[in-house]
Amino acid sequence: MSEGYRTSPGQPGVPGNSASTSSAPDGEGKKVTHEKLDGQELSKEEKQRLRKEKKQQKKTRRQDKTTDDGNSFSTDGKNKQQQQQKTSTTNTATGDTPVGNEKGTAGRSKAEFRAERKAKQENRAKQSKKADQSQPAALGKTKSVPSEPQLVVKRLPDHIQADDPAALKKLAKKLERQQVPLRQDYGSKVILFLHLHQYSRKMPLTQQLTIPSTVLHPAIVRLGLQYSQGIIIGSNARCIALLHAFKQVIRDYSTPPREELSRDLVNKLKPDISFLNQCRSLSASMGNAIKFIKKEISNIARSMREEEAKEVLLQCIDKYVNEKIHLAAEAISKSASEKINDGDVILVYGCSSLVSFILCDAHKAKKFKVVVVDSRPKLEGRETLRRLVRNGIHCTYVLISAVSYILPEFRLAIFGFALPALWPRTPACCTLGHLLPQSTDAQTAGSERGLNPGAGDPDDLLVTRNGSTPLKNWHANSKLHLLNLVYDVTPPDFVDLVITDLGMIPCTSVPVVLRVKNVE
Amino acid sequence: MNYVESPSRFTAPPPGAEREENLKMEFQAVLMAAGGGSRMMDLTSNIPKPLLLVGNKPLIWYPLNLMERLGFEEVIVVTTREVQKQLPQMDSKMKLDTVCIPEDTDMGTADSLRQIHGKIKTDVLVVSCDLITDAALHEVIDLFRAHDATVSMLMRKAHDFTEPVPGQKGKNKEAEQRDFVGVDDTCKRLLFMANEADLDDELVIRKSLMQKYPRMHIKTALVDAHLYCMKKWVLDFLLENKSFMSIRGELIPYLVRKQFSAPSSSQLSKADANEDQKRGPKSIDIFSFAKEDDLLNLAREKSFWNDHHGDMNDPYHGTKLRCYVHIMKEGICYRVNTLASYIEANRQAPKFMPALSQEESLIHPSAQIADTSMIGADSMVGYMTKVAENTSIKRSIIGASCTVKEKVKIANSIIMQNVTFEEGCCIQGSVICSGAVIEKGADLKDCLVGSTQCVDAKSKHVNEVIVGNDRLMEI
């Protein structure tokens, strides 16, 4: 069942998605792999579809072999080799097809395949005798092309390719073009996590910016700073703050002559978005908001005057906030409160604005107690605790090391979708071990892509007690590397129910929902 | 020393792109250069303070250079007419928008801000002309941005002045009024600010403040750099409330105090509010100027971040006004407003000048220096200065167009422009203002020679201030 991620039992902390990058021997530019960002397995339907595609590929390959001997064989041979390499490194079902590889960005194979095709065409032209045979072959080829699977070959996002020099160079070039500074990694990284960027809060990106910044709007600079310093955390908060900043950008924007608002404004937003990405990786909710805004901007009619267009955009943003955040929260809260019974003891972990909202809402009607589990280094459970207690809910606060001791106490565990700290699966795992129900809340606004793994500021791990900081000089020791992982993935087995604004669904239906939403 | 990295890569706009009309400016820079230098009248009697030379550059060059390094392209300079004439000589790449105020009026810095209120459209960065620093200003500005602060400023632990100051008998302390600055545990948030002059015998701290911030550090030996990032609505408030004259003396302590006081008339009924207005402009509530955005508040509410722990209060204790300070640990930060700091700044000038202006060397290329003269490595010689044979110049700064004749020994001194040294003089630890003439064989130790004064031949002076008779009459 659980082939969607690869973890050996003794390592709960390894994110299940990035394994393919660290061990790929393929030294070419970009690596093409199938990527499972959120560790969810392929659903049965997807697996069947992939099997069918593979069979079709084999058929077409056999057809090709009979008509064109040498050329196709070598092509396939090469592609087979690549396929083999990739299967040894990917951890998912091998949906790679030779044609899929062509589509991929392994440059050499694409060029070579083009060369092969040209040679084939020349051969066909020469061999007029085989014209009849080659025609059906060509037809066969063209037929095979449309019957290819509409596989979306996902590329690895930039933020987990910190050890790939080509990806880094490409990113640096892009940022330079947009005049956004590149953030330097900090400290020595643990070998296993070299692919993650590791930034320090003490070296903010603003050091490299001029004060009256020429390309970035001041509201965006402010926002980036607040993200990188952890003043605005949580996917909802980040999304709202982003939209607020965009509103200011739109208000202060004036169309240059000979340009159109619908095209120019989108271009103006690009460096802003790159900057924010450098400050802190964009979250799923932010990505959705950005897509929404870009779509709205490009839909502005040419005939609209500038003020009118701006008004329309600002109203759209307000509507988005209202719908996706407020109303969604209320919908989730209603469904969730059905699951909460009087006298329950509920476990929450870390901080999630949605979970707190649900609990505070449910508290108005029902009586229950809450156990807040917290963990270093951020200790964000304290803030959850404060808000719940202020609302009059009876709370207990424990650190994560105590989870196994409190297991017999609680009945239900509610987690937010973007769990912002390491090892949220530990309470999940533990609870499953005791067969207790769990539910995760997700807003579709924030659930499109998976969670982004990242390495946080290693200096956060330093702790000063009684005036002494044991790790103070960790830089001096060349063999010592500090790692502060943020984000983790929870295996879907441990989650009983996902509560979304579209209703309560089992874990296995999440990809379906996402796909349906994508189509919209 | 942590110099600001020159962010030159990002200053030029992309080719073909529209300039600032499309982008909102984050800050406007204001340089206050109208001060009189009241604490060093000996030096500033003939020359306005912004034009005093430090390291052979006028004092006003340093803040202008700072702003240029930061990337500002325009600066509003508030100054007097005399200084305005000299401004083009600074050859700064920025556009200087000068606002003149008449010289004899007693205008404070807050009054100057009121005058230029019409030009200000965004948040301001106010700098004083006597600031010499290499601080990384992005720290101050980041505090301002990240916490949406009302005002944010720069301070540094005071340098110890070790050099003897001419004219001062005995120990240094002329009982300068100390400033008490209270900061929170992170040393970022300003909780308390008072000057000794305003307090009677005791320091009074409100209990509500102690409840919110149980740990407060009070520091007295801090130098305030007089560099402030302020929100635009503070200027709007200043415009309405005309009782403030000085930013540092009155406005900042007021803002710090108001951080923790409740908004006064927010819950009054309309009738009472009208009465308030009738009572007079004194009760203008600053909180009415502080505008907050709904969406931003919502974002903050959803974000689980707090700047303090252990109590049930919201982040920032729910205060709308927030004052922050960045306290520098290393680096230079001088405010040249006393003789002692002037001397100290000059002493250190050869060390920090090369970083601030790379093209210039310590010894100006046009200076004519004889071969047998010995000039120490940390001395500076100005433009067109002539130094004759057998002279020895150690740890000194010599200004432009000076003449140093043979066998002159100058050590640890600061010499301004157009000074003539006849043969055989011996100068130690002194400050010689412009236009002075030191006759043959004079021996000066720890002295201050005023402008255009003449020191008699073969005279010996130790620890004296030599100024003209007309100056002596001013009390």
Side-chain angles (χ1 to χ4, degrees), chain B residues 404-422:
Chain B
V404 181
K405 301 252 170 82
E406 289 87 0
K407 297 211 191 108
V408 171
K409 290 206 196 80
I410 304 180
N412 287 341
S413 298
I414 298 163
I415 320 286
M416 294 204 209
Q417 296 162 319
N418 292 321
V419 178
T420 309
F421 292 92
E422 301 292 342

mmCIF file with all atom_site columns, all heavy atoms in Angstrom, chain B residues 404-422:
data_model
loop_
_atom_site.group_PDB
_atom_site.id
_atom_site.type_symbol
_atom_site.label_atom_id
_atom_site.label_alt_id
_atom_site.label_comp_id
_atom_site.label_asym_id
_atom_site.label_entity_id
_atom_site.label_seq_id
_atom_site.pdbx_PDB_ins_code
_atom_site.Cartn_x
_atom_site.Cartn_y
_atom_site.Cartn_z
_atom_site.occupancy
_atom_site.B_iso_or_equiv
_atom_site.pdbx_formal_charge
_atom_site.auth_seq_id
_atom_site.auth_comp_id
_atom_site.auth_asym_id
_atom_site.auth_atom_id
_atom_site.pdbx_PDB_model_num
ATOM 1   N N   . VAL B 1 404 ? 53.623 74.723 5.400  1.00 0.00 ? 404 VAL B N   1
ATOM 2   C CA  . VAL B 1 404 ? 54.422 74.263 6.530  1.00 0.00 ? 404 VAL B CA  1
ATOM 3   C C   . VAL B 1 404 ? 55.875 74.472 6.145  1.00 0.00 ? 404 VAL B C   1
ATOM 4   O O   . VAL B 1 404 ? 56.364 73.867 5.191  1.00 0.00 ? 404 VAL B O   1
ATOM 5   C CB  . VAL B 1 404 ? 54.151 72.775 6.819  1.00 0.00 ? 404 VAL B CB  1
ATOM 6   C CG1 . VAL B 1 404 ? 54.961 72.320 8.012  1.00 0.00 ? 404 VAL B CG1 1
ATOM 7   C CG2 . VAL B 1 404 ? 52.672 72.533 7.054  1.00 0.00 ? 404 VAL B CG2 1
ATOM 8   N N   . LYS B 1 405 ? 56.554 75.341 6.909  1.00 0.00 ? 405 LYS B N   1
ATOM 9   C CA  . LYS B 1 405 ? 57.929 75.640 6.529  1.00 0.00 ? 405 LYS B CA  1
ATOM 10  C C   . LYS B 1 405 ? 58.873 74.642 7.186  1.00 0.00 ? 405 LYS B C   1
ATOM 11  O O   . LYS B 1 405 ? 58.458 73.708 7.838  1.00 0.00 ? 405 LYS B O   1
ATOM 12  C CB  . LYS B 1 405 ? 58.251 77.075 6.962  1.00 0.00 ? 405 LYS B CB  1
ATOM 13  C CG  . LYS B 1 405 ? 57.333 78.098 6.331  1.00 0.00 ? 405 LYS B CG  1
ATOM 14  C CD  . LYS B 1 405 ? 58.050 78.917 5.276  1.00 0.00 ? 405 LYS B CD  1
ATOM 15  C CE  . LYS B 1 405 ? 57.080 79.759 4.491  1.00 0.00 ? 405 LYS B CE  1
ATOM 16  N NZ  . LYS B 1 405 ? 56.741 81.009 5.179  1.00 0.00 ? 405 LYS B NZ  1
ATOM 17  N N   . GLU B 1 406 ? 60.196 74.935 7.084  1.00 0.00 ? 406 GLU B N   1
ATOM 18  C CA  . GLU B 1 406 ? 61.175 73.936 7.515  1.00 0.00 ? 406 GLU B CA  1
ATOM 19  C C   . GLU B 1 406 ? 61.176 73.724 8.999  1.00 0.00 ? 406 GLU B C   1
ATOM 20  O O   . GLU B 1 406 ? 60.803 74.577 9.786  1.00 0.00 ? 406 GLU B O   1
ATOM 21  C CB  . GLU B 1 406 ? 62.584 74.394 7.115  1.00 0.00 ? 406 GLU B CB  1
ATOM 22  C CG  . GLU B 1 406 ? 62.871 74.344 5.644  1.00 0.00 ? 406 GLU B CG  1
ATOM 23  C CD  . GLU B 1 406 ? 62.448 75.624 4.973  1.00 0.00 ? 406 GLU B CD  1
ATOM 24  O OE1 . GLU B 1 406 ? 61.947 76.516 5.691  1.00 0.00 ? 406 GLU B OE1 1
ATOM 25  O OE2 . GLU B 1 406 ? 62.601 75.734 3.761  1.00 0.00 ? 406 GLU B OE2 1
ATOM 26  N N   . LYS B 1 407 ? 61.651 72.561 9.345  1.00 0.00 ? 407 LYS B N   1
ATOM 27  C CA  . LYS B 1 407 ? 61.928 72.187 10.735 1.00 0.00 ? 407 LYS B CA  1
ATOM 28  C C   . LYS B 1 407 ? 60.705 72.311 11.628 1.00 0.00 ? 407 LYS B C   1
ATOM 29  O O   . LYS B 1 407 ? 60.826 72.614 12.804 1.00 0.00 ? 407 LYS B O   1
ATOM 30  C CB  . LYS B 1 407 ? 63.042 73.069 11.308 1.00 0.00 ? 407 LYS B CB  1
ATOM 31  C CG  . LYS B 1 407 ? 64.345 72.904 10.603 1.00 0.00 ? 407 LYS B CG  1
ATOM 32  C CD  . LYS B 1 407 ? 65.517 73.113 11.524 1.00 0.00 ? 407 LYS B CD  1
ATOM 33  C CE  . LYS B 1 407 ? 66.782 73.200 10.688 1.00 0.00 ? 407 LYS B CE  1
ATOM 34  N NZ  . LYS B 1 407 ? 67.359 74.515 10.599 1.00 0.00 ? 407 LYS B NZ  1
ATOM 35  N N   . VAL B 1 408 ? 59.550 72.119 11.114 1.00 0.00 ? 408 VAL B N   1
ATOM 36  C CA  . VAL B 1 408 ? 58.335 72.179 11.919 1.00 0.00 ? 408 VAL B CA  1
ATOM 37  C C   . VAL B 1 408 ? 57.967 70.773 12.349 1.00 0.00 ? 408 VAL B C   1
ATOM 38  O O   . VAL B 1 408 ? 58.073 69.825 11.578 1.00 0.00 ? 408 VAL B O   1
ATOM 39  C CB  . VAL B 1 408 ? 57.191 72.792 11.084 1.00 0.00 ? 408 VAL B CB  1
ATOM 40  C CG1 . VAL B 1 408 ? 55.873 72.663 11.816 1.00 0.00 ? 408 VAL B CG1 1
ATOM 41  C CG2 . VAL B 1 408 ? 57.478 74.244 10.774 1.00 0.00 ? 408 VAL B CG2 1
ATOM 42  N N   . LYS B 1 409 ? 57.574 70.663 13.614 1.00 0.00 ? 409 LYS B N   1
ATOM 43  C CA  . LYS B 1 409 ? 57.141 69.349 14.097 1.00 0.00 ? 409 LYS B CA  1
ATOM 44  C C   . LYS B 1 409 ? 55.671 69.438 14.471 1.00 0.00 ? 409 LYS B C   1
ATOM 45  O O   . LYS B 1 409 ? 55.276 70.248 15.306 1.00 0.00 ? 409 LYS B O   1
ATOM 46  C CB  . LYS B 1 409 ? 57.922 68.966 15.356 1.00 0.00 ? 409 LYS B CB  1
ATOM 47  C CG  . LYS B 1 409 ? 59.358 68.659 15.144 1.00 0.00 ? 409 LYS B CG  1
ATOM 48  C CD  . LYS B 1 409 ? 59.834 67.718 16.244 1.00 0.00 ? 409 LYS B CD  1
ATOM 49  C CE  . LYS B 1 409 ? 61.355 67.697 16.284 1.00 0.00 ? 409 LYS B CE  1
ATOM 50  N NZ  . LYS B 1 409 ? 61.938 68.833 16.968 1.00 0.00 ? 409 LYS B NZ  1
ATOM 51  N N   . ILE B 1 410 ? 54.891 68.603 13.879 1.00 0.00 ? 410 ILE B N   1
ATOM 52  C CA  . ILE B 1 410 ? 53.451 68.592 14.191 1.00 0.00 ? 410 ILE B CA  1
ATOM 53  C C   . ILE B 1 410 ? 53.086 67.168 14.593 1.00 0.00 ? 410 ILE B C   1
ATOM 54  O O   . ILE B 1 410 ? 53.343 66.222 13.842 1.00 0.00 ? 410 ILE B O   1
ATOM 55  C CB  . ILE B 1 410 ? 52.604 69.008 12.978 1.00 0.00 ? 410 ILE B CB  1
ATOM 56  C CG1 . ILE B 1 410 ? 53.048 70.385 12.475 1.00 0.00 ? 410 ILE B CG1 1
ATOM 57  C CG2 . ILE B 1 410 ? 51.136 69.033 13.317 1.00 0.00 ? 410 ILE B CG2 1
ATOM 58  C CD1 . ILE B 1 410 ? 52.277 70.873 11.287 1.00 0.00 ? 410 ILE B CD1 1
ATOM 59  N N   . ALA B 1 411 ? 52.499 67.053 15.758 1.00 0.00 ? 411 ALA B N   1
ATOM 60  C CA  . ALA B 1 411 ? 52.130 65.698 16.207 1.00 0.00 ? 411 ALA B CA  1
ATOM 61  C C   . ALA B 1 411 ? 50.745 65.740 16.821 1.00 0.00 ? 411 ALA B C   1
ATOM 62  O O   . ALA B 1 411 ? 50.417 66.661 17.566 1.00 0.00 ? 411 ALA B O   1
ATOM 63  C CB  . ALA B 1 411 ? 53.135 65.190 17.230 1.00 0.00 ? 411 ALA B CB  1
ATOM 64  N N   . ASN B 1 412 ? 49.917 64.753 16.530 1.00 0.00 ? 412 ASN B N   1
ATOM 65  C CA  . ASN B 1 412 ? 48.591 64.599 17.159 1.00 0.00 ? 412 ASN B CA  1
ATOM 66  C C   . ASN B 1 412 ? 47.728 65.830 17.015 1.00 0.00 ? 412 ASN B C   1
ATOM 67  O O   . ASN B 1 412 ? 46.993 66.172 17.924 1.00 0.00 ? 412 ASN B O   1
ATOM 68  C CB  . ASN B 1 412 ? 48.741 64.331 18.667 1.00 0.00 ? 412 ASN B CB  1
ATOM 69  C CG  . ASN B 1 412 ? 49.245 62.937 18.901 1.00 0.00 ? 412 ASN B CG  1
ATOM 70  O OD1 . ASN B 1 412 ? 49.142 62.095 18.023 1.00 0.00 ? 412 ASN B OD1 1
ATOM 71  N ND2 . ASN B 1 412 ? 49.781 62.705 20.064 1.00 0.00 ? 412 ASN B ND2 1
ATOM 72  N N   . SER B 1 413 ? 47.819 66.524 15.902 1.00 0.00 ? 413 SER B N   1
ATOM 73  C CA  . SER B 1 413 ? 47.088 67.780 15.821 1.00 0.00 ? 413 SER B CA  1
ATOM 74  C C   . SER B 1 413 ? 46.115 67.786 14.667 1.00 0.00 ? 413 SER B C   1
ATOM 75  O O   . SER B 1 413 ? 46.191 66.969 13.763 1.00 0.00 ? 413 SER B O   1
ATOM 76  C CB  . SER B 1 413 ? 48.061 68.944 15.648 1.00 0.00 ? 413 SER B CB  1
ATOM 77  O OG  . SER B 1 413 ? 48.906 69.025 16.754 1.00 0.00 ? 413 SER B OG  1
ATOM 78  N N   . ILE B 1 414 ? 45.238 68.759 14.753 1.00 0.00 ? 414 ILE B N   1
ATOM 79  C CA  . ILE B 1 414 ? 44.247 68.928 13.694 1.00 0.00 ? 414 ILE B CA  1
ATOM 80  C C   . ILE B 1 414 ? 44.388 70.346 13.168 1.00 0.00 ? 414 ILE B C   1
ATOM 81  O O   . ILE B 1 414 ? 44.175 71.313 13.895 1.00 0.00 ? 414 ILE B O   1
ATOM 82  C CB  . ILE B 1 414 ? 42.825 68.734 14.246 1.00 0.00 ? 414 ILE B CB  1
ATOM 83  C CG1 . ILE B 1 414 ? 42.708 67.316 14.784 1.00 0.00 ? 414 ILE B CG1 1
ATOM 84  C CG2 . ILE B 1 414 ? 41.806 68.954 13.159 1.00 0.00 ? 414 ILE B CG2 1
ATOM 85  C CD1 . ILE B 1 414 ? 41.550 67.129 15.693 1.00 0.00 ? 414 ILE B CD1 1
ATOM 86  N N   . ILE B 1 415 ? 44.753 70.422 11.930 1.00 0.00 ? 415 ILE B N   1
ATOM 87  C CA  . ILE B 1 415 ? 45.007 71.726 11.332 1.00 0.00 ? 415 ILE B CA  1
ATOM 88  C C   . ILE B 1 415 ? 43.981 71.948 10.238 1.00 0.00 ? 415 ILE B C   1
ATOM 89  O O   . ILE B 1 415 ? 43.815 71.102 9.360  1.00 0.00 ? 415 ILE B O   1
ATOM 90  C CB  . ILE B 1 415 ? 46.413 71.775 10.692 1.00 0.00 ? 415 ILE B CB  1
ATOM 91  C CG1 . ILE B 1 415 ? 47.434 71.062 11.574 1.00 0.00 ? 415 ILE B CG1 1
ATOM 92  C CG2 . ILE B 1 415 ? 46.793 73.189 10.350 1.00 0.00 ? 415 ILE B CG2 1
ATOM 93  C CD1 . ILE B 1 415 ? 47.829 71.805 12.787 1.00 0.00 ? 415 ILE B CD1 1
ATOM 94  N N   . MET B 1 416 ? 43.309 73.068 10.289 1.00 0.00 ? 416 MET B N   1
ATOM 95  C CA  . MET B 1 416 ? 42.297 73.322 9.251  1.00 0.00 ? 416 MET B CA  1
ATOM 96  C C   . MET B 1 416 ? 42.934 74.012 8.038  1.00 0.00 ? 416 MET B C   1
ATOM 97  O O   . MET B 1 416 ? 44.137 73.959 7.856  1.00 0.00 ? 416 MET B O   1
ATOM 98  C CB  . MET B 1 416 ? 41.185 74.158 9.850  1.00 0.00 ? 416 MET B CB  1
ATOM 99  C CG  . MET B 1 416 ? 40.438 73.405 10.920 1.00 0.00 ? 416 MET B CG  1
ATOM 100 S SD  . MET B 1 416 ? 38.812 74.078 11.096 1.00 0.00 ? 416 MET B SD  1
ATOM 101 C CE  . MET B 1 416 ? 38.487 73.737 12.770 1.00 0.00 ? 416 MET B CE  1
ATOM 102 N N   . GLN B 1 417 ? 42.117 74.714 7.291  1.00 0.00 ? 417 GLN B N   1
ATOM 103 C CA  . GLN B 1 417 ? 42.640 75.226 6.025  1.00 0.00 ? 417 GLN B CA  1
ATOM 104 C C   . GLN B 1 417 ? 43.456 76.501 6.209  1.00 0.00 ? 417 GLN B C   1
ATOM 105 O O   . GLN B 1 417 ? 43.289 77.240 7.169  1.00 0.00 ? 417 GLN B O   1
ATOM 106 C CB  . GLN B 1 417 ? 41.479 75.583 5.090  1.00 0.00 ? 417 GLN B CB  1
ATOM 107 C CG  . GLN B 1 417 ? 40.655 74.405 4.708  1.00 0.00 ? 417 GLN B CG  1
ATOM 108 C CD  . GLN B 1 417 ? 39.324 74.866 4.183  1.00 0.00 ? 417 GLN B CD  1
ATOM 109 O OE1 . GLN B 1 417 ? 38.734 75.793 4.727  1.00 0.00 ? 417 GLN B OE1 1
ATOM 110 N NE2 . GLN B 1 417 ? 38.865 74.245 3.130  1.00 0.00 ? 417 GLN B NE2 1
ATOM 111 N N   . ASN B 1 418 ? 44.273 76.763 5.215  1.00 0.00 ? 418 ASN B N   1
ATOM 112 C CA  . ASN B 1 418 ? 44.966 78.063 5.099  1.00 0.00 ? 418 ASN B CA  1
ATOM 113 C C   . ASN B 1 418 ? 45.766 78.446 6.319  1.00 0.00 ? 418 ASN B C   1
ATOM 114 O O   . ASN B 1 418 ? 45.843 79.601 6.695  1.00 0.00 ? 418 ASN B O   1
ATOM 115 C CB  . ASN B 1 418 ? 43.926 79.183 4.858  1.00 0.00 ? 418 ASN B CB  1
ATOM 116 C CG  . ASN B 1 418 ? 43.293 79.026 3.510  1.00 0.00 ? 418 ASN B CG  1
ATOM 117 O OD1 . ASN B 1 418 ? 43.968 78.686 2.550  1.00 0.00 ? 418 ASN B OD1 1
ATOM 118 N ND2 . ASN B 1 418 ? 41.999 79.244 3.441  1.00 0.00 ? 418 ASN B ND2 1
ATOM 119 N N   . VAL B 1 419 ? 46.371 77.499 6.942  1.00 0.00 ? 419 VAL B N   1
ATOM 120 C CA  . VAL B 1 419 ? 47.176 77.814 8.126  1.00 0.00 ? 419 VAL B CA  1
ATOM 121 C C   . VAL B 1 419 ? 48.633 77.874 7.696  1.00 0.00 ? 419 VAL B C   1
ATOM 122 O O   . VAL B 1 419 ? 49.080 77.091 6.860  1.00 0.00 ? 419 VAL B O   1
ATOM 123 C CB  . VAL B 1 419 ? 46.980 76.728 9.200  1.00 0.00 ? 419 VAL B CB  1
ATOM 124 C CG1 . VAL B 1 419 ? 47.837 76.994 10.399 1.00 0.00 ? 419 VAL B CG1 1
ATOM 125 C CG2 . VAL B 1 419 ? 45.516 76.640 9.594  1.00 0.00 ? 419 VAL B CG2 1
ATOM 126 N N   . THR B 1 420 ? 49.331 78.799 8.285  1.00 0.00 ? 420 THR B N   1
ATOM 127 C CA  . THR B 1 420 ? 50.750 78.930 7.942  1.00 0.00 ? 420 THR B CA  1
ATOM 128 C C   . THR B 1 420 ? 51.584 78.627 9.169  1.00 0.00 ? 420 THR B C   1
ATOM 129 O O   . THR B 1 420 ? 51.330 79.166 10.251 1.00 0.00 ? 420 THR B O   1
ATOM 130 C CB  . THR B 1 420 ? 51.051 80.375 7.488  1.00 0.00 ? 420 THR B CB  1
ATOM 131 O OG1 . THR B 1 420 ? 50.092 80.702 6.488  1.00 0.00 ? 420 THR B OG1 1
ATOM 132 C CG2 . THR B 1 420 ? 52.431 80.452 6.889  1.00 0.00 ? 420 THR B CG2 1
ATOM 133 N N   . PHE B 1 421 ? 52.572 77.791 8.990  1.00 0.00 ? 421 PHE B N   1
ATOM 134 C CA  . PHE B 1 421 ? 53.497 77.484 10.078 1.00 0.00 ? 421 PHE B CA  1
ATOM 135 C C   . PHE B 1 421 ? 54.861 77.986 9.659  1.00 0.00 ? 421 PHE B C   1
ATOM 136 O O   . PHE B 1 421 ? 55.425 77.527 8.673  1.00 0.00 ? 421 PHE B O   1
ATOM 137 C CB  . PHE B 1 421 ? 53.601 75.970 10.300 1.00 0.00 ? 421 PHE B CB  1
ATOM 138 C CG  . PHE B 1 421 ? 52.348 75.361 10.841 1.00 0.00 ? 421 PHE B CG  1
ATOM 139 C CD1 . PHE B 1 421 ? 51.392 74.851 9.994  1.00 0.00 ? 421 PHE B CD1 1
ATOM 140 C CD2 . PHE B 1 421 ? 52.132 75.301 12.211 1.00 0.00 ? 421 PHE B CD2 1
ATOM 141 C CE1 . PHE B 1 421 ? 50.234 74.289 10.496 1.00 0.00 ? 421 PHE B CE1 1
ATOM 142 C CE2 . PHE B 1 421 ? 50.978 74.737 12.716 1.00 0.00 ? 421 PHE B CE2 1
ATOM 143 C CZ  . PHE B 1 421 ? 50.028 74.228 11.856 1.00 0.00 ? 421 PHE B CZ  1
ATOM 144 N N   . GLU B 1 422 ? 55.396 78.920 10.444 1.00 0.00 ? 422 GLU B N   1
ATOM 145 C CA  . GLU B 1 422 ? 56.737 79.381 10.127 1.00 0.00 ? 422 GLU B CA  1
ATOM 146 C C   . GLU B 1 422 ? 57.749 78.387 10.672 1.00 0.00 ? 422 GLU B C   1
ATOM 147 O O   . GLU B 1 422 ? 57.405 77.445 11.354 1.00 0.00 ? 422 GLU B O   1
ATOM 148 C CB  . GLU B 1 422 ? 56.941 80.769 10.756 1.00 0.00 ? 422 GLU B CB  1
ATOM 149 C CG  . GLU B 1 422 ? 55.933 81.800 10.276 1.00 0.00 ? 422 GLU B CG  1
ATOM 150 C CD  . GLU B 1 422 ? 56.120 82.164 8.803  1.00 0.00 ? 422 GLU B CD  1
ATOM 151 O OE1 . GLU B 1 422 ? 57.200 81.887 8.275  1.00 0.00 ? 422 GLU B OE1 1
ATOM 152 O OE2 . GLU B 1 422 ? 55.173 82.691 8.202  1.00 0.00 ? 422 GLU B OE2 1
#
